[in-house]
Amino acid sequence: MSDQSLQFNHLAHGIATTILQGFNRHFEIFQRITAGARQRFEAADWRAVQLASRERIVLYDRRIEETIALLRDLYQIRSLDQELWKEVKYRYIRLLLDHQQPELAETFYTSVFCRQFPRKHYTNAFIFLRSSTSTEYIDSEETSYVAYYPGATGLREAIIRILQNAGFTLPFENLGRDLRNIFRALVKCYPGRANRKAQLNFQLSVIRHAFFRNKAAYIVGRMINGREETAFALPILNNEKGGLYIDALIWGEKQLSVVFSYSQAYFMMEHLVPSAVATFLQKLMPRRNMSELYSALGLHKQGKSAFYRDFLHHLKHSSDEFIIAPGIRGMVMMVFTLPSYPYVFKIIKDKFAPQKEFTRQQVEEKYQLVKRHDRVGRMADMLEYSNVALPMERFVPELLQELIETCASSINLDDGNIVFRHIYLERRMVPLNIFIETADGETLERVIEDYGNAIKQLAGANIFPGDFLYKNFGVTQLGRVVFYDYDEISYMTECNFRKIPPPRFPEDEFSSEPWYSVEPNDVFPEEFSTFLLATPKIRKIFLKHHKDLLDHRYWKKKQDAINAGTYEDVFPYPQALRFKRH
């Protein structure tokens, strides 16, 4: 082999090794932050919980920038040498043969490449459009889940062992009571089946480490009995007096799916092989795709990678066209969807409606705020992409024309594709204004009550939606109301909640202009009824459940609690599931 070939191979190997070292450093820091979750939970340090969550989210981009800077410094990488980078990818694949997070390392490599080189090179020759390794059966010395056998030890003892192995150092305030509550809840799950028998394979398979999020820890697993498999979770709370207690029994795929919803903040769950945990979770919730499960574990970049691969596969195996999304047209975002795929695509318009007094950069910052903030199950997570190419032939003429007219600065027409410079994707929901048009009776009352609950829970998490119109909220497949239009959100602490002063003269009430001063951050809650409660049946339901939302004193009280450092309890499961503690 010539000296030139040796030098070429040495350079390729060096670049590949440096990128993998960058990933390893990223994952080490990620794990270190995650590993502190139990200590923060047991110390009831809720502010530290939020800070750690935000720190972990921004970690990835920092390590990418750090790795690129190192490549430029060590190897003088300035432009793309195609043969070199093909060899770099080959060398990188070989380095991953015995790696425990190969799929995450591939995504890291792709990010490093795409941040440096043009979109036309985003092919499988240079990046990992397809994964090169299988994550099936990868595991560490510490297995991802543990099996317990109630047939040998008894169900009570099996649950006690599960709790002991979760690694909590704080004692349970009344474990006997909690176990009785679990048994009572199990009886309700199987009404009329008191004589139900345990089969030969009766077992509880439980993910080894607890999942931490906000003010709770979750033990997650499944019960196997004969051919029946049932997902479950045990939420554990801190009484903030030196003890823990089990708050509920989450039973079945539907209830667990709400806990792992895309509208919730990311979990912290420590394990060296995330693919093994994600695979186990998908067995519990088969309707959740791997993209959502990786994201739920805080690995949102891997979630993006898994989503994009799935989407490209769907696009290749479908023939329907992109259309304008149903609902009222947005003043800031152009929204379209592919009917056969359960997501919407959002692009920031070039010009906003006159009443929208902010810039494109401010809109992007609002979306980043949502990414970093606790979404309390009431704000949809979004996937953010750059330089996404979609085939122009798949767009209906009406949509294509509107994109050209309203989003010209965000798109580029290139060789039969529409290239979106910046795009957001969210789970498709039924807009609340469309949902309530056909809802009636109990369904209407449930959704209006949940709409008010969503506003209250967002307020408790220091989020003021800004625009409460029904069109800015959606109803998920699980029936929950979720906020998804973020261009006017702000922190509660930035608002000035006021009561409208009484008119000075009778003529004031008929004036087109207010008789009182209004500053940019002023909010008058009593005005909400004007644009929300015009329909009598909706007004009656809203006032029954949420009259306090029209009172400035309610909002001031929420604001005072936030300023005092109070973190509200928001549970991703119904109040009816919660156990009684007395």
Side-chain angles (χ1 to χ4, degrees):
M1 185 178 291
S2 67
D3 289 344
Q4 188 175 3
S5 295
L6 285 172
Q7 187 177 7
F8 178 87
N9 291 338
H10 180 72
L11 177 59
H13 181 77
I15 293 172
T17 300
T18 300
I19 296 174
L20 185 57
Q21 287 172 344
F23 167 75
N24 290 341
R25 172 168 165 72
H26 160 70
F27 192 73
E28 178 188 349
I29 300 172
F30 181 95
Q31 285 288 88
R32 190 188 312 151
I33 297 171
T34 303
R38 183 187 57 76
Q39 183 179 358
R40 292 187 290 269
F41 167 72
E42 294 195 344
D45 191 346
W46 311 129
R47 175 167 173 74
V49 167
Q50 293 194 348
L51 291 175
S53 179
R54 293 173 189 173
E55 181 184 0
R56 203 177 64 164
I57 288 171
V58 302
L59 175 67
Y60 187 89
D61 287 333
R62 290 174 181 169
R63 295 288 80 76
I64 293 293
E65 293 167 4
E66 180 181 272
T67 303
I68 290 173
L70 197 57
L71 290 175
R72 290 174 177 170
D73 184 49
L74 293 176
Y75 308 106
Q76 306 303 307
I77 301 296
R78 294 291 183 271
S79 59
L80 177 65
D81 180 332
Q82 294 192 32
E83 293 307 312
L84 172 63
W85 279 89
K86 287 178 181 178
E87 182 67 19
V88 171
K89 184 186 175 187
Y90 169 73
R91 298 276 175 165
Y92 195 80
I93 291 171
R94 293 186 64 181
L95 292 174
L96 297 181
L97 291 178
D98 294 317
H99 205 280
Q100 291 185 312
Q101 308 94 32
E103 80 285 17
L104 308 187
E106 288 179 344
T107 294
F108 190 89
Y109 178 98
T110 296
S111 296
V112 169
F113 184 94
C114 292
R115 295 280 180 93
Q116 299 181 87
F117 304 119
R119 186 193 62 81
K120 65 180 181 179
H121 300 295
Y122 296 176
T123 67
N124 204 56
F126 299 104
I127 63 175
F128 291 93
L129 284 181
R130 298 189 304 273
S131 180
S132 66
T133 61
S134 171
T135 58
E136 195 172 13
Y137 302 121
I138 295 178
D139 218 330
S140 61
E141 292 183 6
E142 182 182 73
T143 58
S144 55
Y145 67 93
V146 180
Y148 300 84
Y149 303 97
T153 65
L155 183 57
R156 187 180 192 279
E157 182 62 28
I159 295 174
I160 290 174
R161 289 185 183 180
I162 290 170
L163 297 173
Q164 289 173 339
N165 290 341
F168 297 111
T169 59
L170 289 182
F172 283 80
E173 65 176 17
N174 189 337
L175 185 56
R177 175 205 63 203
D178 292 349
L179 292 171
R180 289 192 295 273
N181 284 333
I182 292 172
F183 293 140
R184 291 191 192 101
L186 281 171
V187 170
K188 292 180 181 178
C189 293
Y190 295 102
R193 300 172 71 179
N195 296 324
R196 192 166 172 275
K197 294 182 178 180
Q199 302 297 313
L200 187 63
N201 66 338
F202 184 37
Q203 61 183 278
L204 302 174
S205 296
V206 177
I207 295 177
R208 180 178 291 277
H209 294 290
F211 291 72
F212 294 91
R213 186 177 64 200
N214 299 337
K215 298 173 72 173
Y218 297 83
I219 292 175
V220 178
R222 62 177 171 172
M223 183 201 73
I224 302 173
N225 192 31
R227 300 183 65 178
E228 180 182 5
E229 296 188 10
T230 306
F232 70 86
L234 295 174
I236 298 171
L237 303 185
N238 189 327
N239 64 13
E240 302 189 29
K241 298 177 182 178
L244 307 177
Y245 62 94
I246 299 173
D247 192 52
L249 171 65
I250 309 298
W251 192 253
E253 178 190 352
K254 184 176 181 180
Q255 290 183 7
L256 190 62
S257 290
V258 175
V259 176
F260 280 83
S261 168
Y262 50 84
S263 61
Q264 302 285 353
Y266 306 131
F267 282 107
M268 293 211 175
M269 201 288 299
E270 181 186 7
H271 198 268
L272 287 175
V273 186
S275 61
V277 178
T279 299
F280 187 93
L281 288 172
Q282 194 170 47
K283 292 177 181 177
L284 307 184
M285 298 170 286
R287 292 174 180 82
R288 286 270 178 255
N289 58 45
M290 291 298 280
S291 168
E292 292 170 325
L293 296 174
Y294 271 114
S295 294
L297 295 172
L299 300 162
H300 52 281
K301 295 294 183 180
Q302 185 61 29
K304 283 178 58 176
S305 181
F307 172 89
Y308 192 62
R309 288 170 181 157
D310 181 78
F311 175 66
L312 290 179
H313 178 82
H314 179 86
L315 205 58
K316 184 177 180 180
H317 293 83
S318 62
S319 58
D320 57 329
E321 295 177 303
F322 291 100
I323 61 172
I324 297 172
I328 300 172
R329 303 287 175 84
M331 299 181 185
V332 173
M333 292 284 196
M334 174 64 199
V335 186
F336 63 93
T337 191
L338 187 67
S340 63
Y341 205 67
Y343 284 79
V344 294
F345 303 73
K346 292 185 170 185
I347 303 95
I348 301 175
K349 292 183 176 180
D350 294 339
K351 295 181 180 179
F352 307 153
Q355 59 266 46
K356 300 291 186 177
E357 299 178 352
F358 40 72
T359 66
R360 180 189 185 93
Q361 181 180 348
Q362 287 172 318
V363 174
E364 292 178 358
E365 288 171 354
K366 300 285 188 184
Y367 275 74
Q368 281 301 310
L369 183 157
V370 172
K371 195 75 178 174
R372 296 189 302 266
H373 201 81
D374 177 11
R375 295 188 294 278
V376 293
R378 296 300 187 174
M379 291 192 289
D381 192 14
M382 86 290 295
L383 300 170
E384 185 178 358
Y385 293 90
S386 299
N387 296 318
V388 174
L390 298 176
M392 197 183 309
E393 64 182 16
R394 296 288 293 269
F395 286 72
V396 298
E398 179 190 7
L399 170 58
L400 183 59
Q401 184 64 32
E402 188 158 337
L403 283 170
I404 293 171
E405 291 176 356
T406 64
C407 305
S409 67
S410 297
I411 63 174
N412 182 37
L413 305 183
D414 180 28
D415 193 26
N417 290 319
I418 305 179
V419 181
F420 295 90
R421 297 190 181 98
H422 199 82
I423 192 169
Y424 299 97
L425 281 78
E426 292 176 358
R427 264 283 183 176
R428 189 167 64 224
M429 292 172 264
V430 180
L432 182 57
N433 61 303
I434 293 178
F435 187 92
I436 62 180
E437 285 177 2
T438 57
D440 210 342
E442 291 183 6
T443 301
L444 181 62
E445 176 149 7
R446 177 187 58 77
V447 79
I448 294 300
E449 181 182 3
D450 201 45
Y451 162 73
N453 288 337
I455 293 172
K456 289 179 174 179
Q457 289 171 3
L458 288 171
N462 197 21
I463 289 292
F464 183 70
D467 191 343
F468 290 178
L469 291 177
Y470 303 130
K471 70 182 181 68
N472 297 325
F473 292 77
V475 182
T476 71
Q477 289 184 328
L478 296 172
R480 286 173 61 82
V481 175
V482 171
F483 183 56
Y484 56 52
D485 194 326
Y486 307 138
D487 50 73
E488 290 196 30
I489 67 169
S490 61
Y491 291 115
M492 284 279 293
T493 48
E494 296 175 349
C495 300
N496 181 30
F497 297 102
R498 295 175 55 191
K499 178 177 174 57
I500 297 177
R504 302 162 301 176
F505 315 104
E507 294 80 7
D508 283 344
E509 296 187 81
F510 302 99
S511 173
S512 59
E513 298 294 329
W515 60 89
Y516 47 89
S517 64
V518 180
E519 298 298 324
N521 291 339
D522 284 349
V523 178
F524 299 91
E526 57 199 284
E527 290 184 333
F528 298 163
S529 62
T530 304
F531 50 85
L532 292 179
L533 308 180
T535 305
K537 61 181 180 180
I538 293 178
R539 180 181 182 86
K540 182 179 179 181
I541 296 169
F542 187 91
L543 293 179
K544 174 184 174 182
H545 296 285
H546 301 297
K547 185 178 180 180
D548 48 1
L549 286 175
L550 307 179
D551 189 335
H552 75 287
R553 291 170 297 186
Y554 170 85
W555 293 94
K556 289 284 290 182
K557 186 177 179 181
K558 286 271 188 180
Q559 197 176 52
D560 291 343
I562 293 167
N563 287 327
T566 301
Y567 295 87
E568 291 192 2
D569 294 318
V570 178
F571 305 103
Y573 43 89
Q575 181 70 23
L577 291 182
R578 300 191 64 200
F579 295 153
K580 294 181 180 179
R581 293 171 59 197
H582 303 292

